């Protein structure tokens, strides 16, 4: 049997907190090659090999099915592919990395409090300004889906990989969809979250891939692992 | 020749018939016009690629846009033209990128728009007949809803907002519910004098480092803020809301549906007889055809794209939509025409027809 592959965030606070969750369950994640190594192991369950990767890559590989399970943010699963959420099972909320994906507008837009106001603004924006309303975000899929749900079609997405909150001031976009945990960065940039502008409440989860090949023996390892972390594995 | 090849040839002949110019636009097209016309929602369906200078291109996702653009740039722009097409288009599907064939007809600047629409309907039915399919037809009318909305008793400020949500059932239902249960405006701590409010907004914008001219201006924001206060106070009569809700929920065989809509309008003393009569004419054209199943009309049926203007339709089998089309008189203006040029047409999902005959 090949090992069950568990992907763990490769650095920073996410890595620390992931290790802590497993440590609490009596399992310790080892990284023999040190902080720059890619492969590790799980002391306590030999049949699991650990891969250290950036959180975004973990989401992508879970959706593709090239890793069996992993720790990453739910927002990244949504963003990796349109079929991301269907391709995985969220086994367990690990209680860290909490953040919301939100629609935020310049605070000065005193006439806009809800998505329905944004819908009105979008509908005649082009007639007024000769261009579409622009939304800066890295969450392209989530934005498209949420805006469609609210009947907003008249806008363009400006893809933004960093410092999205600066897009309205720099003139790159009119509003943003971004992730925030406390809202303080948004506030500091003169932005305000719409009353019904929370698209997704995200946090780090232990996530199981539906796409990878699960043999009966591997399922056994999976349920052993999930039991240890405190989840009843009822789905593969 | 195999049956499939014979059918295919018959379909090709329809797109190359008398008075129809067959066209074959490039497969590689600039992506921006699609985003401009149809927004992000359609944009997500494009197969995109980048030029080395960063320009975005897409594989042809439909025929209407390149055909319309080429027509507008040609010497015959504004003159009656009929174009036919048959060829591959490319779209993103949940299951991955897909290539499939579409056939269709585009009619521009026809002298008699009713004859044009009938020609489109007959083309669609002929295409289906080629494959031995007797479709059901689903009719809708943007013009009928617009006529009802224009005549319904309500403050003007609400009309454009309601119109904007036509074709989006959930957003429309939410708006009508909100109208039925209006909340009083929350005045808040903001000043009520226009100049004062402008000052407050401009200050906030400057403090946040926003350009006063690059995006929404303080004037626009203040204007809409006051409009919103007015809107909250501008009650839509409950009879009007009920009328709209009833209209949007009409879904029945076309004759029954049109009679009940006539009744709804009469009860409110609203005259929408002209668009109703138009619908009836085209319903009769369809009814007179041999290979046609049930013909229904739905009050709320409309594509989400705002360039559709008159009657819209879908022809379906139990496996899904096989043909969709209608009238889109606003399309050419949206693409830069200086005046309104009538347009109607339809596209046929050839792969679905072929799948249908294999069943």
């Amino acid at each position: 049997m090949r090992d069950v592959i568990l992907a763990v965030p490769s650095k920073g606070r996410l890595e620390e907190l992931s290790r802590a969750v497993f440590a609490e369950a009596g399992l310790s994640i080892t990284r023999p090659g040190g902080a720059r190594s890619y492969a590790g192991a799980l002391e306590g369950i030999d049949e699991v090999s650990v891969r250290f990767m950036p959180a975004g890559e973990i989401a992508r590989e879970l959706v593709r099915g090239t890793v069996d399970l992993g720790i990453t943010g739910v927002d990244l699963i949504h963003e990796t592919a349109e079929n991301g959420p269907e391709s995985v099972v969220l086994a367990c909320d690990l209680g860290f990395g909490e953040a919301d994906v939100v629609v935020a507008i310049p605070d000065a837009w005193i006439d806009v409090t809800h998505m329905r106001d944004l819908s009105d603004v979008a509908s005649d924006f082009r007639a007024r300004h000769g261009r579409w309303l622009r939304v800066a975000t890295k969450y392209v899929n989530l934005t498209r889906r949420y805006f469609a749900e609210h009947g907003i079609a008249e806008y363009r997405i400006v893809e933004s990989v960093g410092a999205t909150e600066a897009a309205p001031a720099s003139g790159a976009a009119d509003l943003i969809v971004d992730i925030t945990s406390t809202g303080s960065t948004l506030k500091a940039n003169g932005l305000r979250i719409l009353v019904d502008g929370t698209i997704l409440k995200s946090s780090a989860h232990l996530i199981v891939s539906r796409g990878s090949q699960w043999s009966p023996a591997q399922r056994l390892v999976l349920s052993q692992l999930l039991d240890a972390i405190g989840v009843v594995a009822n789905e593969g | 020749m195999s049956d499939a090849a014979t059918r295919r040839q018959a379909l090709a002949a329809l797109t190359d018939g008398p008075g129809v110019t067959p066209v074959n636009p490039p497969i590689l097209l600039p992506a921006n016009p699609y985003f401009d016309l149809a927004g992000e929602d359609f944009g997500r369906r494009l197969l995109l690629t980048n030029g080395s200078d960063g320009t975005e291109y897409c594989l042809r996702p439909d025929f209407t846009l390149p055909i319309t653009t080429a027509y507008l740039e040609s010497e015959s722009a504004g003159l009656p033209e009929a174009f036919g097409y048959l060829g591959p288009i490319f779209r993103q599907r949940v299951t991955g990128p897909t290539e499939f064939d579409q056939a269709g007809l585009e009619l521009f600047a026809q002298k008699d728009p009713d004859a044009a629409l009938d020609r489109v309907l007959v083309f669609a039915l002929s295409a289906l007949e080629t494959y031995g399919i007797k479709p059901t037809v689903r009719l809708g009318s943007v013009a009928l809803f617009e006529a009802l909305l224009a005549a319904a008793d309500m403050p003007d400020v609400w009309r454009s907002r309601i119109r904007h949500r036509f074709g989006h059932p959930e957003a429309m239902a939410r708006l009508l519910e909100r109208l039925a249960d209006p909340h009083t405006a929350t005045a808040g701590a903001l000043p009520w004098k226009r100049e004062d409010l402008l000052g407050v907004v401009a200050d906030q914008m400057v403090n946040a480092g926003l350009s006063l001219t690059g995006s929404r201006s303080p004037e626009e924001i203040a204007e809409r803020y006051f409009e919103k206060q007015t809107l909250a106070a501008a009650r839509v009569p409950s009879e009007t809301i009920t009328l709209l809700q009833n209209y949007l929920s009409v879904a029945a065989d076309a004759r029954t549906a049109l009679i009940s809509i006539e009744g709804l309008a009469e009860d409110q003393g609203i005259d929408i007889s002209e668009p109703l009569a138009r619908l009836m004419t085209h319903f009769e054209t369809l009814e007179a055809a041999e290979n046609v199943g049930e013909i229904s009309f739905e009050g709320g049926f409309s594509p989400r794209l705002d360039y559709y203007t008159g009657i819209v339709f879908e022809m379906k089998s139990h496996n899904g939509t096989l043909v969709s089309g209608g009238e889109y008189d606003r399309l050419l203006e949206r693409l830069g025409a200086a005046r309104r040029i009538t347009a109607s047409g339809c596209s046929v999902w050839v792969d679905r027809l072929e799948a249908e005959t294999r069943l």
Side-chain angles (χ1 to χ4, degrees):
Chain A
M1 180 191 101
R2 71 164 173 85
D3 283 353
V4 170
I5 299 169
L6 165 70
V8 174
S10 54
K11 57 185 176 186
R13 198 144 167 72
L14 281 178
E15 187 204 354
E16 281 168 38
L17 292 164
S18 304
R19 283 170 177 281
V21 166
F22 277 79
E24 250 175 72
L27 301 166
S28 116
I29 296 174
T30 61
R31 199 171 186 177
R36 298 180 66 178
S37 78
Y38 167 70
L42 191 61
E43 259 173 37
I45 308 181
D46 290 344
E47 297 86 353
V48 173
S49 29
V50 174
R51 298 275 182 278
F52 294 94
M53 306 178 180
E57 266 180 52
I58 295 178
R60 194 180 68 212
E61 300 310 320
L62 281 168
V63 170
R64 284 187 183 164
T66 55
V67 302
D68 300 309
L69 71 166
I71 296 175
T72 191
V74 176
D75 60 310
L76 297 173
I77 293 289
H78 280 269
E79 214 30 59
T80 294
E82 269 186 73
N83 64 345
E86 295 93 73
S87 310
V88 300
V89 178
L90 304 182
C92 174
D93 185 349
L94 300 178
F96 61 86
E98 282 166 353
D100 296 344
V101 178
V102 299
V103 183
I105 54 154
D107 200 18
W109 291 13
I110 54 169
D111 57 325
V112 179
T113 53
H114 291 76
M115 287 299 286
R116 59 176 182 253
D117 295 314
L118 202 55
S119 173
D120 288 341
V121 169
S123 70
D124 66 354
F125 194 91
R126 202 157 82 143
R128 285 174 184 270
H129 300 278
R131 63 172 176 84
W132 291 68
L133 186 70
R134 287 192 296 236
V135 183
T137 188
K138 68 167 182 161
Y139 296 97
V140 177
N141 294 328
L142 281 169
T143 302
R144 284 175 175 166
R145 207 177 58 203
Y146 197 66
F147 277 46
E149 278 169 21
H150 284 83
I152 305 177
E154 302 82 353
Y155 70 101
R156 287 289 308 266
I157 286 176
V158 181
E159 278 193 67
S160 143
V161 278
T164 305
E165 66 281 354
S170 76
D174 304 294
L175 66 149
I176 68 167
V177 169
D178 204 7
I179 194 145
T180 175
S181 44
T182 60
S184 56
T185 310
L186 296 179
K187 198 168 268 176
N189 282 276
L191 300 172
R192 165 165 51 86
I193 301 169
L194 292 179
V195 173
D196 53 353
T198 301
I199 299 179
L200 179 78
K201 287 192 165 304
S202 178
S203 61
H205 274 63
L206 181 60
I207 297 170
V208 181
S209 173
R210 284 185 196 274
S212 66
Q213 301 295 315
W214 290 96
S215 69
Q218 285 162 341
R219 275 174 197 277
L220 224 61
V221 176
L222 175 66
S223 64
Q224 190 188 348
L225 184 78
L226 294 182
D227 282 347
I229 306 288
V231 197
V232 180
N234 50 11
E235 265 187 290
Chain B
M1 199 159 51
S2 71
D3 282 0
T6 315
R7 289 196 193 97
R8 182 72 175 213
Q9 206 170 51
L11 184 65
L14 284 174
T15 64
D16 190 5
V20 183
T21 311
V23 283
N24 188 16
I27 283 183
L28 189 63
L29 294 165
N32 228 356
Y34 280 101
F35 280 106
D36 264 0
L37 187 67
E40 286 293 333
D41 219 24
F42 186 72
R44 68 207 270 227
R45 299 281 159 236
L46 301 180
L47 273 109
L48 294 168
T49 185
N50 281 310
S52 51
D53 62 351
T55 314
E56 263 189 320
Y57 294 88
C58 62
L59 295 183
R60 182 172 67 201
D62 94 320
F63 279 90
T64 302
L65 182 55
I67 290 176
T68 310
T69 311
Y71 166 72
L72 277 178
E73 285 165 358
S74 75
E75 283 178 3
S76 60
L79 301 174
E81 281 283 3
F83 298 106
Y85 60 85
L86 170 61
I89 62 163
F90 305 83
R91 302 248 180 116
Q92 297 279 3
R93 289 267 182 266
V94 181
T95 48
T98 314
E99 168 182 351
F100 35 75
D101 285 337
Q102 239 182 22
L105 185 67
E106 302 287 347
L107 303 180
F108 298 125
Q110 301 294 309
K111 293 210 171 56
D112 179 352
D114 281 306
L117 182 61
D118 278 349
R119 192 172 163 195
V120 170
L121 292 170
V122 169
F123 169 88
L125 287 174
S126 310
L128 294 172
E129 199 170 16
T130 306
Y131 285 78
I133 298 165
K134 188 173 170 181
T136 58
V137 183
R138 182 184 183 215
L139 290 171
S141 174
V142 179
L144 188 61
F145 183 73
E146 285 182 346
L148 184 84
L149 194 61
D153 176 21
M154 75 175 81
D156 274 336
V157 282
W158 280 111
R159 284 185 225 278
S160 64
R161 284 170 169 76
I162 294 174
R163 168 63 187 91
H164 174 56
R165 285 161 174 85
F166 187 52
H168 193 287
E170 294 83 20
M172 177 70 90
R174 279 198 295 270
L175 179 65
L176 292 179
E177 265 168 45
R178 184 154 62 93
L179 289 180
D181 179 25
H183 298 285
T184 41
T186 44
L190 290 166
W192 274 94
K193 262 178 73 187
R194 187 182 142 82
E195 306 83 78
D196 296 348
L197 190 70
L198 274 176
V200 170
V201 172
D203 277 355
Q204 276 195 30
M205 288 176 70
V206 170
N207 286 339
L210 295 172
S211 155
L212 296 178
T213 51
S215 178
R216 306 184 72 215
S217 64
E219 290 78 10
E220 180 187 339
I221 293 166
E223 181 195 320
R224 195 177 166 277
Y225 177 80
F226 285 125
E227 192 185 83
K228 206 174 149 187
Q229 310 299 319
T230 320
L231 278 173
R235 296 286 301 259
V236 177
S238 60
E239 300 78 29
T240 302
I241 296 170
T242 311
L243 169 71
L244 292 173
Q245 283 169 334
N246 288 341
Y247 175 87
L248 291 167
S249 67
V250 167
D253 74 89
R255 196 178 294 279
T256 314
L258 296 186
I259 289 169
S260 67
I261 285 170
E262 197 172 18
L264 285 175
E266 259 171 25
D267 287 349
Q268 297 292 317
I270 287 173
D271 178 19
I272 49 170
S273 51
E274 198 204 312
L276 263 180
R278 268 204 85 204
L279 259 170
M280 196 50 112
T281 316
H282 296 290
F283 165 65
E284 280 161 2
T285 303
L286 285 166
E287 213 182 20
E290 278 181 13
N291 68 315
V292 71
E294 192 182 311
I295 304 162
S296 62
F297 176 86
E298 287 174 36
F301 167 46
S302 164
R304 262 301 278 162
L305 300 164
D306 64 0
Y307 52 78
Y308 281 88
T309 44
I311 293 168
V312 292
F313 70 91
E314 282 178 352
M315 295 188 182
K316 308 164 80 113
S317 74
H318 46 272
N319 290 317
T321 303
L322 306 173
V323 185
S324 50
E327 297 175 299
Y328 27 91
D329 293 356
R330 277 193 279 263
L331 176 62
L332 286 97
E333 276 172 299
R334 286 285 301 275
L335 295 177
R339 60 181 176 83
R340 179 167 282 213
I341 297 172
T342 62
S344 55
C346 68
S347 47
V348 181
W349 300 87
V350 178
D351 60 312
R352 296 183 196 166
L353 301 192
E354 287 173 350
E356 201 74 17
T357 55
R358 279 197 297 271
L359 292 175

